[in-house]
């Protein structure tokens, strides 16, 4: 088992190394760059050259990459040029991460809390108005782009009806203690209920927008899985034995239908970051997605590199954990 | 990073301007300089030594004295920068030419405390920009004690960026607000009223800036009442915002949008002045300004707005005359000429709210006189500026917002550097003449004579050289909600918020 994990970790290092090369070369192959973003209209060839030399951008790309690598193994990923000038790029990622975790968590809770029960009900009442309505709703949820959903939610709930805040993570002037950087949790930990409630209000709309697609997917998978299970002999047997609906639902149908749903939830978590870029931008919700969008627009290379590599490392790690779990369940995998 | 010396963007200056003051300030609502930390200044006869009389009742926010020694400490600090500091200290390099290690090419030559409250600054030669350039936010006066304690000059290049010393996050000036804190998680910067300020105290006890990149979100936040105002409302929203009880404050235009030509590029037809003249007559700028630009925008007759000294009032805009354009093209043998014409995407600037629409209008006019237009686009930071600088387009739209009230800050920026300018004037027979004329006009000591010299140059540019076509001046706006009073819109977008009051009962 240990050998298996070590081998996989080594593989992961190679993957990340290759990826870092690709990201590095890709960014520098794009037109424009940080120098344009910094100088704007004031750029002349002379001023560009001076700034490029100061930032080491005049060196051949392989040389630049080796320098990056040399610093990176020492834990230094460079400093941000535009997102938060002067701040360590990795620190920018760490600063922004809690917001994205909080947002993704709430979005996922919403998607699961709505998707599974609705999927179950729709399957049990196949062909009814409830079922048809829910199916159409979920189709729309998948089809409509996240930024449009976000825009509509914002327009009605925040602007027209003034029920929830328009953007941001916390009301201006609210002086709250920060511990984890996840504001709702921080409010709970410090028993500053006002701060927690304020942060929660700021979370509702972005979380709803971000939850639309995972909700639709979870709903449809649940519905399909439940329908499959309902056709199984053991459900019919259970019904024939006269078991109560509650027992059939919890012991037989849901439990058996949950396997594909859980797998789907896992996959959806991976897709959340892509949705977060758009949602965070629309709601000025200062998380990793918002930083990624800003860094890309302003060609903040160090921050872009850190964010893309961090996303890759997280993805590879999650895969590794899944594989380890499989290996524990099925010993044959280890020897392959 | 709130040390204005190393800042390069308007968003940072918006904040630092409330904390810091310069030797000279700007009269609110205009681009004219007025006394600020210096009460008066006089040059010697040849304009190379300027003696500043300082206010004697000013303290920095850390309680230390503002005096002549502090002034010289500031100038010496700005002058004496390490390599990283020289690159980051953009504005100093831009207005002063160079730093201490290259002192002979520097406009700044030294500072001497000639009294407790009198400082003399020497410069290498007279220029229209001095002392006006001292109103730049980057050249503000900072507390020498705080700079020393916070190692203000300890900037270093690190990877592709600069790391800044502690001082950059704890800046100390003399202004009506002191730095409170920067909250990265919320994107807010909080300033507090400086109760020891020598002048009239600020009207609000706390001033909070919030970073909201998206324009429509800014508008929605104002409508929801969670902010009191925001910058650069979209011109199409102006009326709606006013109808909702907000007030849209329109700044005087201190910018120029122009059509630039690369005269030294692949398209040799552009070298023919008759062809360029034809292009000017082909463009219906009146209609462009009326349909694509905000209320108050005007058609430009030269490469600077009329508020700048040296503006030539006798110049008329080139008449829109497509027939004349066709005739000139035919005469020059350039019928059906091809033009690689570019505009930037993913950007809106004060002088061009929507580049694509402006481009479309220009393209339609050019095609109407038989020119074949090959469109090129790139995003602002994703290659557009690089390509313009590298001369990859025949024609392009670009603009400029003035840094301070000086004709050289406009036309000098465009044509003063013969070797390197976007217009490629080095390939033209008159390019050197124009650059030389600009430099000698800039060095005239007498203000009236200097203005006359620049007026003459403006006439030359528009009547004989035609390096590009000035299109328009657009007034950028800012909007404040009900109950907010005292915002004075500044053509330099250099609003000061100490005069602002907020009636929260509204």
């Amino acid at each position: 088992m240990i050998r298996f994990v070590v081998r996989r970790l080594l593989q992961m290092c190679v993957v990340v190394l290759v990826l870092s090369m690709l990201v590095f070369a890709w960014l520098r192959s794009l037109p424009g760059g940080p120098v344009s973003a910094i100088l704007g209209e004031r750029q002349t060839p002379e001023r560009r050259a001076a700034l490029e030399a100061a930032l080491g951008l005049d060196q051949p790309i392989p040389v630049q990459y080796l320098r990056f690598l040399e610093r990176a193994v020492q834990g230094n990923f460079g400093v941000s040029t535009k997102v938060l000038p002067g701040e360590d790029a990795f620190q920018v990622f760490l600063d922004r991460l809690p917001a994205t975790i909080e947002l993704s968590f709430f979005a996922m809770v919403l998607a699961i809390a709505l998707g599974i029960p609705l999927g179950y009900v729709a399957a049990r009442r196949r062909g009814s108005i409830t079922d048809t309505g829910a199916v159409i709703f979920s189709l729309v949820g998948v089809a409509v782009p996240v930024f449009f959903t976000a825009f509509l939610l914002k327009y009605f709930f925040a602007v027209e009806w003034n029920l929830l805040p328009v953007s941001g993570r916390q009301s201006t002037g609210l002086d709250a203690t920060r511990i984890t950087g996840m504001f709702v949790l921080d409010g709970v930990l410090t028993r500053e209920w006002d701060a927690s409630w304020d942060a929660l209000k700021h979370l509702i709309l972005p979380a709803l927008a971000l939850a639309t697609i995972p909700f639709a997917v979870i709903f449809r998978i649940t519905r399909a899985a439940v329908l499959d299970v309902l056709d199984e002999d053991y459900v019919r047997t259970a019904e024939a034995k006269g078991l109560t609906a509650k027992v059939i639902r919890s012991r037989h149908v849901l439990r058996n239908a949950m396997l594909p749903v859980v797998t789907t939830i896992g996959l959806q978590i991976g897709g959340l970051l892509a949705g977060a870029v758009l949602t965070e931008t629309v709601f000025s919700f200062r998380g990793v997605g918002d930083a990624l969008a800003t860094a890309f627009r302003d060609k903040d290379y160090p921050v872009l590199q850190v964010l893309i590599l961090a996303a890759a490392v997280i993805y590879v790690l999650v895969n590794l954990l899944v594989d380890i779990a499989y290996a524990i369940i099925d010993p044959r995998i280890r020897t392959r | 990073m709130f040390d204005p010396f190393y800042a390069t963007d308007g968003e940072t200056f918006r904040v630092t301007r409330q904390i810091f003051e310069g030797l000279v300030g700007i009269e609110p609502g205009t681009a004219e300089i007025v006394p600020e930390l210096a009460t008066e200044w006089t040059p010697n006869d040849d304009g190379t030594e300027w003696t500043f009389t300082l206010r004697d009742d000013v303290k920095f926010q850390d309680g230390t004295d503002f005096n002549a020694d502090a002034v010289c400490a500031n100038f010496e600090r700005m002058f004496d920068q390490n390599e990283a500091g020289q690159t980051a200290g953009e504005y100093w390099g831009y207005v002063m030419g160079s730093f201490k290690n290259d002192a002979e090419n520097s406009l700044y030559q030294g500072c001497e405390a000639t009294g407790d409250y009198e400082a003399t600054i020497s410069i290498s030669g007279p220029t229209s920009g001095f002392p006006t350039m001292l109103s730049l936010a980057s050249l503000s006066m900072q507390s020498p004690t705080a700079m020393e304690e916070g190692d203000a000059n300890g900037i270093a290049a690190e990877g592709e960026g600069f790391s800044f010393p502690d001082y950059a996050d704890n800046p100390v000036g003399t202004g009506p607000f002191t730095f409170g804190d920067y909250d990265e998680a919320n994107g807010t910067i909080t300033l507090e009223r400086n109760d020891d300020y020598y002048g009239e105290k600020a009207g609000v006890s706390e001033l909070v800036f919030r970073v909201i990149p998206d324009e429509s979100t800014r508008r929605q936040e104002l409508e929801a009442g969670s902010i009191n105002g925001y910058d650069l409302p979209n011109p199409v929203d102006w009326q709606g915002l006013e109808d909702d009880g907000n007030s849209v404050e329109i700044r005087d235009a201190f910018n120029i949008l122009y059509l630039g030509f690369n005269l030294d590029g692949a398209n040799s037809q552009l070298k023919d002045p008759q062809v360029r003249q034809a292009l000017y007559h082909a463009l219906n700028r009146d209609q462009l300004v009326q349909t694509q630009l905000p209320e108050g925008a005007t058609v430009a007759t030269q490469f600077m707005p009329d508020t700048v000294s040296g503006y030539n009032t006798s110049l008329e805009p080139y008449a829109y005359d497509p027939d004349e354009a066709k005739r000139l093209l035919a005469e020059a043998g350039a019928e059906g000429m091809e033009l690689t014409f570019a505009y930037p995407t993913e950007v809106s600037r004060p002088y061009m709210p929507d580049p694509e629409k402006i481009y479309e209008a220009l393209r339609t006019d050019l095609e109407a006189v038989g020119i074949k237009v090959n469109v090129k686009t790139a995003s602002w930071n994703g290659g557009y500026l690089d390509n313009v600088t590298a001369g990859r387009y025949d024609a392009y739209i670009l603009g400029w917002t003035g840094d301070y009230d000086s004709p050289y800050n406009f036309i000098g920026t465009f044509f003063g550097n013969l070797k390197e300018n976007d217009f490629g004037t080095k390939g033209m027979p008159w390019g050197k003449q124009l650059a030389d004329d600009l430099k000698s006009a800039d060095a005239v000591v007498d203000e009236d004579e200097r203005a006359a010299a620049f007026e003459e140059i403006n006439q030359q540019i528009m009547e004989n050289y035609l390096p590009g076509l000035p299109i328009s001046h657009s007034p950028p706006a800012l909007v404040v909600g009900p109950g907010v009073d005292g915002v004075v819109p500044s053509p330099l977008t250099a609003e000061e918020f100490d005069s602002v009051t907020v009636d929260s009962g509204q």
Side-chain angles (χ1 to χ4, degrees), chain A residues 28 31-33 36-37 39 41-43 46-48 51 55 81 86 96 154 159 167 170 178 286 298, chain B residues 87 90-91 159-162 182-184 186-187 210 217 220-221 223 349 351 381-383 385-386 399 420:
Chain A
R28 281 151 188 81
S36 288
L39 291 179
E41 287 101 334
R42 290 194 314 279
Q43 71 163 310
E46 207 175 12
R47 296 160 76 80
R48 279 189 64 89
L51 192 51
L55 303 181
T81 56
R96 295 296 191 97
K154 197 162 75 160
V159 181
S167 71
Q170 193 185 54
R178 308 262 169 84
R286 293 168 67 87
D298 292 335
Chain B
T87 316
E90 268 289 321
Y91 269 97
E160 281 114 353
F162 297 110
Y182 172 59
D183 178 0
E184 155 63 10
N186 260 336
R210 225 186 108 191
T217 306
Q220 290 167 339
E221 287 284 9
E223 284 170 357
R349 306 294 293 174
Y351 48 80
N381 292 330
L385 292 169
D386 292 11
E420 299 184 334

Side-chain angles (χ1 to χ4, degrees), chain B residues 310-369:
Chain B
Y311 180 87
N312 189 324
T313 48
S314 64
L315 286 172
E316 290 288 324
Y318 266 80
Y320 169 56
D321 188 346
D323 292 333
E324 175 70 359
K326 283 185 203 157
R327 191 187 67 76
L328 287 166
L329 284 173
E331 217 173 271
E335 284 163 307
M337 74 178 278
E338 289 193 26
L339 199 63
T340 304
F341 186 4
Y343 70 91
T345 57
E346 293 168 45
V347 73
S348 86
R349 306 294 293 174
Y351 48 80
M352 58 175 178
D354 189 342
E356 187 177 355
K357 284 191 176 154
I358 290 164
Y359 161 80
E360 276 304 328
L362 297 174
R363 183 187 60 92
T364 313
D365 288 344
L366 291 172
E367 285 180 346
V369 299

Side-chain angles (χ1 to χ4, degrees), chain B residues 91-374:
Chain B
Y91 269 97
W92 178 279
Y94 176 56
V95 295
M96 297 294 184
S98 66
F99 292 82
K100 196 170 188 173
N101 61 341
D102 180 23
E104 62 224 55
N105 289 317
S106 169
L107 177 67
Y108 172 81
Q109 290 295 314
C111 175
E112 196 190 337
T114 41
D116 284 351
Y117 294 99
E118 189 185 271
T120 303
I121 295 172
S122 314
I123 56 175
S124 60
T127 162
S128 66
F130 200 87
T132 312
M133 63 178 64
L134 302 183
S135 66
L136 282 174
S138 266
L139 308 189
S140 306
M141 293 292 110
Q142 313 195 39
S143 158
T145 314
M147 288 197 288
E148 201 175 320
E149 280 169 6
D151 184 27
N153 279 3
I155 177 174
E158 203 176 310
E160 281 114 353
F162 297 110
S163 64
F164 298 97
D166 286 347
Y167 176 77
D169 291 325
N170 300 286
V172 180
T174 60
F177 288 96
T178 60
F179 186 75
D181 88 316
Y182 172 59
D183 178 0
E184 155 63 10
N186 260 336
T188 53
I189 299 135
T190 308
L191 308 186
E192 279 143 23
R193 176 164 54 207
N194 174 10
D195 288 320
D196 299 323
Y197 185 59
Y198 62 87
E200 202 168 319
K201 312 283 185 283
V204 292
S205 58
E206 204 176 65
L207 178 62
V208 183
F209 294 96
R210 225 186 108 191
V211 182
I212 309 174
D214 179 48
E215 197 270 330
S216 69
T217 306
R218 293 202 286 270
R219 177 175 179 173
Q220 290 167 339
E221 287 284 9
L222 181 72
E223 284 170 357
S226 43
I227 57 174
N228 294 114
Y230 68 90
D231 201 2
L232 294 181
N234 191 332
V236 300
D237 290 339
W238 288 8
Q239 191 58 49
L241 284 164
E242 288 266 354
D243 293 346
D244 291 344
N246 304 296
S247 76
V248 175
E249 307 282 349
I250 301 170
R251 296 154 166 145
D252 287 339
F254 198 66
N255 58 34
I256 174 90
L257 165 71
Y258 58 80
L259 169 67
F261 293 130
N262 176 16
L263 301 178
D264 201 27
N267 191 332
S268 58
Q269 284 168 312
L270 281 175
K271 284 183 190 285
D272 185 342
Q274 213 167 7
V275 170
R276 300 201 299 277
Q277 220 166 26
L279 297 177
Y280 300 161
H281 285 301
L283 300 174
N284 189 347
R285 289 178 297 155
D286 270 323
Q287 194 182 43
L288 175 81
V289 166
Q290 274 165 28
T291 56
Q292 307 300 341
L293 294 173
E295 194 187 320
T298 51
V299 172
T301 61
Q302 52 209 293
F303 282 91
M304 59 165 74
D306 62 3
T307 37
V308 181
S309 69
Y311 180 87
N312 189 324
T313 48
S314 64
L315 286 172
E316 290 288 324
Y318 266 80
Y320 169 56
D321 188 346
D323 292 333
E324 175 70 359
K326 283 185 203 157
R327 191 187 67 76
L328 287 166
L329 284 173
E331 217 173 271
E335 284 163 307
M337 74 178 278
E338 289 193 26
L339 199 63
T340 304
F341 186 4
Y343 70 91
T345 57
E346 293 168 45
V347 73
S348 86
R349 306 294 293 174
Y351 48 80
M352 58 175 178
D354 189 342
E356 187 177 355
K357 284 191 176 154
I358 290 164
Y359 161 80
E360 276 304 328
L362 297 174
R363 183 187 60 92
T364 313
D365 288 344
L366 291 172
E367 285 180 346
V369 299
I371 293 167
K372 187 172 181 306
V373 176
N374 301 317

Side-chain angles (χ1 to χ4, degrees), chain A residues 27 32 58 63 92 108 110 138 147 233-234 260 268 281-282 287 326-327:
Chain A
L27 287 177
D58 56 341
V63 175
V92 171
M108 224 46 217
L110 273 173
S138 76
F147 70 85
D233 290 342
Y234 57 80
Q268 287 302 309
T281 309
V282 175
Y326 276 19

Side-chain angles (χ1 to χ4, degrees), chain B residues 479-499:
Chain B
V479 56
V480 290
V484 179
D485 269 320
V487 176
V488 183
S490 156
L492 300 164
T493 65
E495 286 79 24
E496 288 172 2
F497 294 108
D498 52 327
S499 58

